Amino acid sequence: MLAEDSTLLREGLVRLLSEEGHEVLAAVGDAVALLREIEQLRPDMVVVDIRMPPTHTDEGLRAALEIRKRWPGVGVLVLSQHIERNYAAQLLTSNAERVGYLLKDRVAQVEEFLDALERIEAGGAAIDPEVVRQLVIRTTHSDPLARLTPRERSVLETLAQGHTNAAISEKLHISMSTVEKNLNMIFDKLELVHATGYNRRILAVLRYLES
């Protein structure tokens, strides 16, 4: 299901997704219509713009947060023309599963856009690399992230984009064992040693995004 007030982009997304074998249940131009359609049709995934009528401020974000609350099984991919730091942190820290935040420019990179949808559908996250880079890391001594080495920061940044260990290994050109070693060091430095499994990965990402 799509919610985008630009008719050109909305119709383009419908065509792209349909050609890739996805069924588009509805394509609407505002958040009110989106919530109404979700109530009736219950899609697997929603792609929603942040700024839509009537005020073109945060209607899409508020709709996304409501979707996360009322229908947690629905994956949500938020699109934005610009990096909205507060919006990104608010959405992504509410629940780091089946959620994504991409810049609209990324849609033109079809493979990356489709890959983001697949990761979200699989229960993961997909965060635009540029969004991650601009969620500024504080460098004060009280900030646990200041303890990370440059390599550990790179691994955590890539993890925050929603990638698996194998994808991190490929993107950073390091071995799987190096990825695992760096992740263990990150968990230790962020004081996440008592968390386990996927929860620990999510907590590390949230710690990164909240910094």
Side-chain angles (χ1 to χ4, degrees):
M1 192 170 290
L2 306 173
E4 164 62 53
D5 66 314
S6 167
T7 303
L8 184 61
L9 179 54
R10 185 170 69 244
E11 294 305 318
L13 286 171
V14 169
R15 181 174 180 178
L16 168 63
L17 293 171
S18 298
E19 289 177 349
E20 292 295 327
H22 299 283
E23 180 184 3
V24 180
L25 299 178
V28 299
D30 63 81
V32 174
L34 173 64
L35 295 175
R36 183 175 62 246
E37 294 292 343
I38 292 175
E39 179 71 52
Q40 296 178 357
L41 301 175
R42 304 294 173 90
D44 296 320
M45 175 84 63
V46 171
V47 179
V48 56
D49 187 15
I50 282 183
R51 298 182 177 183
M52 291 189 293
T55 68
H56 294 277
T57 55
D58 62 355
E59 287 84 358
L61 173 72
R62 287 189 281 111
L65 293 172
E66 185 170 350
I67 293 166
R68 303 287 286 160
K69 181 179 179 180
R70 294 175 59 186
W71 303 288
V74 176
V76 176
L77 174 58
V78 169
L79 298 179
S80 179
Q81 189 68 39
H82 307 287
I83 297 175
E84 313 274 3
R85 289 183 50 195
N86 292 335
Y87 289 168
Q90 186 178 354
L91 176 69
L92 299 170
T93 58
S94 65
N95 186 333
E97 297 182 22
R98 293 180 60 79
V99 65
Y101 186 110
L102 293 183
L103 297 179
K104 286 188 175 179
D105 290 346
R106 196 70 58 184
V107 176
Q109 301 174 35
V110 175
E111 292 303 321
E112 291 192 31
F113 176 63
L114 296 174
D115 177 66
L117 291 177
E118 290 176 2
R119 276 188 275 152
I120 295 169
E121 177 61 24
I127 307 172
D128 197 291
E130 190 60 28
V131 172
V132 173
R133 278 193 288 270
Q134 293 200 29
L135 288 168
V136 179
I137 300 177
R138 289 177 297 210
T139 56
T140 62
H141 293 295
S142 61
D143 182 3
L145 293 178
R147 307 172 194 165
L148 303 184
T149 65
R151 170 63 74 193
E152 290 163 355
R153 289 194 180 202
S154 295
V155 170
L156 181 54
E157 177 181 312
T158 311
L159 175 68
Q161 295 168 26
H163 293 293
T164 62
N165 286 12
I168 294 172
S169 171
E170 181 179 352
K171 285 182 172 293
L172 298 183
H173 306 290
I174 57 178
S175 67
M176 283 284 287
S177 62
T178 299
V179 172
E180 292 168 0
K181 178 181 177 181
N182 277 272
L183 285 175
N184 286 330
M185 290 299 298
I186 290 167
F187 297 149
D188 183 54
K189 291 179 180 180
L190 296 183
E191 301 177 355
L192 300 176
V193 291
H194 299 299
T196 58
Y198 191 56
N199 286 336
R200 187 159 59 169
R201 296 171 70 90
I202 293 174
L203 289 170
V205 171
L206 295 183
R207 189 72 56 84
Y208 179 86
L209 294 174
E210 290 173 336
S211 65

